[in-house]
Amino acid sequence: MNYRHHFHAGNYADVFKHAALVALIGGLQRKEKGFLYLDSHAGRGSYELESVTRRPDGSEREPEWPAGIGRLWTEERGPLASYLNLVRRFNRERGGGPATPGFYPGSPWIAAELARPVDRLALCELREDDADALAAEFRRRSNVSVRTMDGYTAVRALLPPPEKRALVLIDPPFESSAEFSEILSALREGLRRLPGGTFAVWYPVTERARTEGFQREYLALKPPPTLVVEMRIASDGSALRMKGCGLLIINPPWKIEADLIAIGREVAAKLGLDDGAGASTFWLVPEA
Ligand code: SAM
């Protein structure tokens, strides 16, 4: 496994995913009953941005955050405001200055920050060093558990939760071509165990055919209502390999569509690179 999220922390895809995560958690929290937040591919939870300019072998690497969170750092209003306030608070708490981001949170920190005492977090990460960092980060939080384990196995093992409500974030590295089929089999099992659970799957928009193939196979699971939100920073003709990203959201919270499209449009408008930038949303499986 070569993937290190550190190099991508705070890029446009993180901005989109984390702003959407804030909206999704808010949507689930409209009900008083607590839920399990299961992060199947949790990462470290905290990233020091200045240290991402060098690879482990010492060679230089262009950081991705300046074209992402770096360009939104001073935004005060709009659909990203709650997310940006959280990220700025995280940066301040870690000792970062106000002018530019020095520290960026991962999805576990964002979810833990928003969790109520009735909510519970299960964070799974396969890399031992990242899982250890996560465990250290949350050692004082009684409603957070960290597991060094395969996230797909966790979807099978930890559902259904006693709360009977869950938000499952599946955010894999997509290093291998088998990722989509692993996601599908985890969703099959996850939905069998908790048909009413909310699942959010992040995926990159690279070659359109691959995403469409994934969506076709997903429909064969006969899944419950499913919303897709995609945002792009570049047109199909761009030399960029990843032109955008999407979230496939099963059983989305009520009326979340408007918030998510607003987030996607804002990220595309502020961070887009050409006139192919934009956002779209559609119901892959319509609400009844
Ligand atoms: N969710 C994180 C966030 O938003 O801050 C970022 C996750 S990153 C895209 C993917 C993570 O999955 C990496 O930290 C990687 O080490 C981890 N990983 C890779 N394969 C895994 C697996 N089978 N199970 C659990 N974690 C895995």
Side-chain angles (χ1 to χ4, degrees), residues 1 3 5 17-18 39-43 106-107 125-127 130 149-151 171-173:
M1 193 167 60
Y3 183 91
H5 190 67
K17 171 180 63 187
H18 292 154
D39 204 327
S40 64
H41 296 68
S107 50
E125 167 58 50
L126 201 54
R127 277 191 73 105
D130 285 351
M149 73 184 283
D150 170 50
D171 180 23

mmCIF file of all heavy atoms in Angstrom, residues 1 3 5 17-18 39-43 106-107 125-127 130 149-151 171-173, ligand 1:
data_model
loop_
_atom_site.group_PDB
_atom_site.id
_atom_site.type_symbol
_atom_site.label_atom_id
_atom_site.label_comp_id
_atom_site.label_asym_id
_atom_site.label_seq_id
_atom_site.Cartn_x
_atom_site.Cartn_y
_atom_site.Cartn_z
ATOM 1 N N MET A 1 0.838 -1.192 0.000
ATOM 2 C CA MET A 1 0.000 0.000 0.000
ATOM 3 C C MET A 1 0.886 1.260 0.000
ATOM 4 O O MET A 1 1.610 1.512 0.950
ATOM 5 C CB MET A 1 -0.890 -0.023 1.249
ATOM 6 C CG MET A 1 -1.996 0.988 1.195
ATOM 7 S SD MET A 1 -3.243 0.703 2.479
ATOM 8 C CE MET A 1 -2.270 0.833 3.971
ATOM 9 N N TYR A 3 -0.278 4.445 -0.845
ATOM 10 C CA TYR A 3 -1.042 5.677 -0.693
ATOM 11 C C TYR A 3 -0.775 6.348 0.646
ATOM 12 O O TYR A 3 -0.817 5.722 1.697
ATOM 13 C CB TYR A 3 -2.536 5.361 -0.815
ATOM 14 C CG TYR A 3 -3.409 6.587 -0.752
ATOM 15 C CD1 TYR A 3 -3.763 7.254 -1.904
ATOM 16 C CD2 TYR A 3 -3.860 7.084 0.470
ATOM 17 C CE1 TYR A 3 -4.559 8.387 -1.852
ATOM 18 C CE2 TYR A 3 -4.651 8.207 0.530
ATOM 19 C CZ TYR A 3 -4.995 8.849 -0.627
ATOM 20 O OH TYR A 3 -5.783 9.969 -0.561
ATOM 21 N N HIS A 5 -2.361 9.720 2.489
ATOM 22 C CA HIS A 5 -3.310 10.815 2.290
ATOM 23 C C HIS A 5 -2.667 12.173 2.547
ATOM 24 O O HIS A 5 -3.110 13.204 2.020
ATOM 25 C CB HIS A 5 -4.551 10.638 3.174
ATOM 26 C CG HIS A 5 -5.623 11.610 2.794
ATOM 27 N ND1 HIS A 5 -6.279 11.543 1.582
ATOM 28 C CD2 HIS A 5 -6.102 12.718 3.417
ATOM 29 C CE1 HIS A 5 -7.132 12.548 1.497
ATOM 30 N NE2 HIS A 5 -7.044 13.274 2.583
ATOM 31 N N LYS A 17 -15.410 16.792 -0.122
ATOM 32 C CA LYS A 17 -15.828 15.657 0.718
ATOM 33 C C LYS A 17 -16.109 16.093 2.151
ATOM 34 O O LYS A 17 -17.114 15.705 2.744
ATOM 35 C CB LYS A 17 -14.698 14.612 0.683
ATOM 36 C CG LYS A 17 -14.819 13.464 1.622
ATOM 37 C CD LYS A 17 -13.624 12.527 1.467
ATOM 38 C CE LYS A 17 -12.305 13.188 1.828
ATOM 39 N NZ LYS A 17 -11.124 12.367 1.545
ATOM 40 N N HIS A 18 -15.233 16.924 2.703
ATOM 41 C CA HIS A 18 -15.389 17.303 4.113
ATOM 42 C C HIS A 18 -16.534 18.300 4.308
ATOM 43 O O HIS A 18 -17.237 18.252 5.330
ATOM 44 C CB HIS A 18 -14.062 17.843 4.660
ATOM 45 C CG HIS A 18 -13.003 16.770 4.755
ATOM 46 N ND1 HIS A 18 -11.659 17.036 4.709
ATOM 47 C CD2 HIS A 18 -13.122 15.416 4.872
ATOM 48 C CE1 HIS A 18 -10.989 15.879 4.808
ATOM 49 N NE2 HIS A 18 -11.849 14.892 4.910
ATOM 50 N N ASP A 39 -16.095 5.263 9.876
ATOM 51 C CA ASP A 39 -15.163 5.768 8.854
ATOM 52 C C ASP A 39 -14.308 4.565 8.460
ATOM 53 O O ASP A 39 -13.418 4.141 9.207
ATOM 54 C CB ASP A 39 -14.315 6.888 9.479
ATOM 55 C CG ASP A 39 -13.763 7.861 8.452
ATOM 56 O OD1 ASP A 39 -13.470 7.415 7.334
ATOM 57 O OD2 ASP A 39 -13.605 9.045 8.780
ATOM 58 N N SER A 40 -14.599 3.965 7.289
ATOM 59 C CA SER A 40 -13.940 2.698 6.950
ATOM 60 C C SER A 40 -12.472 2.896 6.552
ATOM 61 O O SER A 40 -11.657 2.004 6.705
ATOM 62 C CB SER A 40 -14.690 2.006 5.799
ATOM 63 O OG SER A 40 -14.616 2.796 4.639
ATOM 64 N N HIS A 41 -12.142 4.062 6.018
ATOM 65 C CA HIS A 41 -10.776 4.383 5.584
ATOM 66 C C HIS A 41 -10.437 5.752 6.191
ATOM 67 O O HIS A 41 -10.554 6.782 5.541
ATOM 68 C CB HIS A 41 -10.679 4.448 4.067
ATOM 69 C CG HIS A 41 -10.959 3.147 3.377
ATOM 70 N ND1 HIS A 41 -12.199 2.551 3.359
ATOM 71 C CD2 HIS A 41 -10.135 2.306 2.682
ATOM 72 C CE1 HIS A 41 -12.137 1.415 2.683
ATOM 73 N NE2 HIS A 41 -10.889 1.233 2.258
ATOM 74 N N ALA A 42 -10.061 5.729 7.475
ATOM 75 C CA ALA A 42 -10.089 6.965 8.264
ATOM 76 C C ALA A 42 -8.881 7.879 8.052
ATOM 77 O O ALA A 42 -8.968 9.084 8.272
ATOM 78 C CB ALA A 42 -10.217 6.615 9.742
ATOM 79 N N GLY A 43 -7.729 7.340 7.656
ATOM 80 C CA GLY A 43 -6.524 8.177 7.565
ATOM 81 C C GLY A 43 -6.011 8.532 8.959
ATOM 82 O O GLY A 43 -6.272 7.821 9.930
ATOM 83 N N GLY A 106 -8.580 15.629 9.226
ATOM 84 C CA GLY A 106 -9.162 14.564 8.407
ATOM 85 C C GLY A 106 -10.625 14.355 8.791
ATOM 86 O O GLY A 106 -11.134 14.966 9.745
ATOM 87 N N SER A 107 -11.274 13.449 8.071
ATOM 88 C CA SER A 107 -12.691 13.192 8.342
ATOM 89 C C SER A 107 -12.954 12.757 9.796
ATOM 90 O O SER A 107 -13.978 13.159 10.365
ATOM 91 C CB SER A 107 -13.232 12.145 7.360
ATOM 92 O OG SER A 107 -12.397 11.009 7.297
ATOM 93 N N GLU A 125 -8.560 2.024 10.068
ATOM 94 C CA GLU A 125 -7.440 2.412 9.200
ATOM 95 C C GLU A 125 -6.475 1.228 9.151
ATOM 96 O O GLU A 125 -6.125 0.664 10.189
ATOM 97 C CB GLU A 125 -6.783 3.687 9.762
ATOM 98 C CG GLU A 125 -5.437 4.062 9.172
ATOM 99 C CD GLU A 125 -5.426 4.266 7.661
ATOM 100 O OE1 GLU A 125 -6.270 4.989 7.141
ATOM 101 O OE2 GLU A 125 -4.535 3.676 6.995
ATOM 102 N N LEU A 126 -6.068 0.878 7.955
ATOM 103 C CA LEU A 126 -5.219 -0.288 7.778
ATOM 104 C C LEU A 126 -3.751 -0.009 8.128
ATOM 105 O O LEU A 126 -3.052 -0.885 8.619
ATOM 106 C CB LEU A 126 -5.332 -0.762 6.320
ATOM 107 C CG LEU A 126 -4.946 -2.181 5.997
ATOM 108 C CD1 LEU A 126 -5.683 -3.192 6.869
ATOM 109 C CD2 LEU A 126 -5.236 -2.477 4.522
ATOM 110 N N ARG A 127 -3.276 1.191 7.853
ATOM 111 C CA ARG A 127 -1.865 1.523 8.140
ATOM 112 C C ARG A 127 -1.672 1.652 9.638
ATOM 113 O O ARG A 127 -2.343 2.477 10.281
ATOM 114 C CB ARG A 127 -1.493 2.860 7.496
ATOM 115 C CG ARG A 127 -1.116 2.804 6.036
ATOM 116 C CD ARG A 127 -0.536 4.144 5.646
ATOM 117 N NE ARG A 127 0.789 4.282 6.212
ATOM 118 C CZ ARG A 127 1.909 4.169 5.496
ATOM 119 N NH1 ARG A 127 1.855 3.960 4.201
ATOM 120 N NH2 ARG A 127 3.064 4.289 6.077
ATOM 121 N N ASP A 130 -0.730 5.256 10.954
ATOM 122 C CA ASP A 130 -1.846 6.200 10.928
ATOM 123 C C ASP A 130 -2.892 5.824 11.979
ATOM 124 O O ASP A 130 -3.470 6.700 12.643
ATOM 125 C CB ASP A 130 -2.495 6.231 9.529
ATOM 126 C CG ASP A 130 -1.627 6.988 8.524
ATOM 127 O OD1 ASP A 130 -0.633 7.616 8.947
ATOM 128 O OD2 ASP A 130 -1.939 6.961 7.323
ATOM 129 N N MET A 149 -7.666 -2.035 11.083
ATOM 130 C CA MET A 149 -8.265 -3.155 10.345
ATOM 131 C C MET A 149 -8.731 -2.736 8.960
ATOM 132 O O MET A 149 -8.818 -1.537 8.660
ATOM 133 C CB MET A 149 -9.442 -3.756 11.143
ATOM 134 C CG MET A 149 -10.701 -2.910 11.176
ATOM 135 S SD MET A 149 -12.003 -3.642 12.236
ATOM 136 C CE MET A 149 -12.609 -4.947 11.182
ATOM 137 N N ASP A 150 -9.028 -3.698 8.135
ATOM 138 C CA ASP A 150 -9.547 -3.454 6.796
ATOM 139 C C ASP A 150 -10.954 -2.838 6.913
ATOM 140 O O ASP A 150 -11.831 -3.387 7.585
ATOM 141 C CB ASP A 150 -9.595 -4.800 6.052
ATOM 142 C CG ASP A 150 -10.351 -4.683 4.748
ATOM 143 O OD1 ASP A 150 -10.054 -3.772 3.968
ATOM 144 O OD2 ASP A 150 -11.269 -5.504 4.528
ATOM 145 N N GLY A 151 -11.137 -1.718 6.240
ATOM 146 C CA GLY A 151 -12.395 -0.988 6.359
ATOM 147 C C GLY A 151 -13.588 -1.742 5.799
ATOM 148 O O GLY A 151 -14.712 -1.584 6.283
ATOM 149 N N ASP A 171 -14.144 5.841 1.997
ATOM 150 C CA ASP A 171 -13.281 6.812 1.315
ATOM 151 C C ASP A 171 -11.924 6.159 1.013
ATOM 152 O O ASP A 171 -10.901 6.528 1.595
ATOM 153 C CB ASP A 171 -13.128 8.037 2.241
ATOM 154 C CG ASP A 171 -12.254 9.112 1.635
ATOM 155 O OD1 ASP A 171 -12.110 9.159 0.407
ATOM 156 O OD2 ASP A 171 -11.702 9.921 2.414
ATOM 157 N N PRO A 172 -11.917 5.167 0.112
ATOM 158 C CA PRO A 172 -10.689 4.389 -0.114
ATOM 159 C C PRO A 172 -9.693 5.121 -1.013
ATOM 160 O O PRO A 172 -10.037 6.118 -1.647
ATOM 161 C CB PRO A 172 -11.209 3.127 -0.813
ATOM 162 C CG PRO A 172 -12.504 3.512 -1.427
ATOM 163 C CD PRO A 172 -13.023 4.727 -0.738
ATOM 164 N N PRO A 173 -8.456 4.605 -1.086
ATOM 165 C CA PRO A 173 -7.433 5.294 -1.870
ATOM 166 C C PRO A 173 -7.532 5.094 -3.384
ATOM 167 O O PRO A 173 -6.874 5.779 -4.139
ATOM 168 C CB PRO A 173 -6.129 4.700 -1.333
ATOM 169 C CG PRO A 173 -6.497 3.398 -0.728
ATOM 170 C CD PRO A 173 -7.915 3.513 -0.273
HETATM 171 N N1 SAM B 1 -11.187 9.557 5.092
HETATM 172 C C1 SAM B 1 -9.948 10.306 5.250
HETATM 173 C C2 SAM B 1 -10.267 11.775 5.300
HETATM 174 O O1 SAM B 1 -11.214 12.212 4.638
HETATM 175 O O2 SAM B 1 -9.564 12.492 6.005
HETATM 176 C C3 SAM B 1 -8.977 10.039 4.143
HETATM 177 C C4 SAM B 1 -8.786 8.619 3.780
HETATM 178 S S1 SAM B 1 -7.616 8.317 2.531
HETATM 179 C C5 SAM B 1 -8.408 8.782 1.084
HETATM 180 C C6 SAM B 1 -7.635 6.577 2.454
HETATM 181 C C7 SAM B 1 -7.032 5.889 3.680
HETATM 182 O O3 SAM B 1 -7.373 4.507 3.615
HETATM 183 C C8 SAM B 1 -5.521 5.941 3.764
HETATM 184 O O4 SAM B 1 -5.164 6.472 5.023
HETATM 185 C C9 SAM B 1 -5.067 4.466 3.663
HETATM 186 O O5 SAM B 1 -3.957 4.182 4.475
HETATM 187 C C10 SAM B 1 -6.285 3.746 4.151
HETATM 188 N N2 SAM B 1 -6.518 2.390 3.650
HETATM 189 C C11 SAM B 1 -6.130 1.819 2.480
HETATM 190 N N3 SAM B 1 -6.671 0.593 2.332
HETATM 191 C C12 SAM B 1 -7.438 0.387 3.447
HETATM 192 C C13 SAM B 1 -8.291 -0.668 3.862
HETATM 193 N N4 SAM B 1 -8.455 -1.771 3.124
HETATM 194 N N5 SAM B 1 -8.948 -0.530 5.041
HETATM 195 C C14 SAM B 1 -8.792 0.576 5.810
HETATM 196 N N6 SAM B 1 -7.999 1.611 5.463
HETATM 197 C C15 SAM B 1 -7.340 1.523 4.288
#
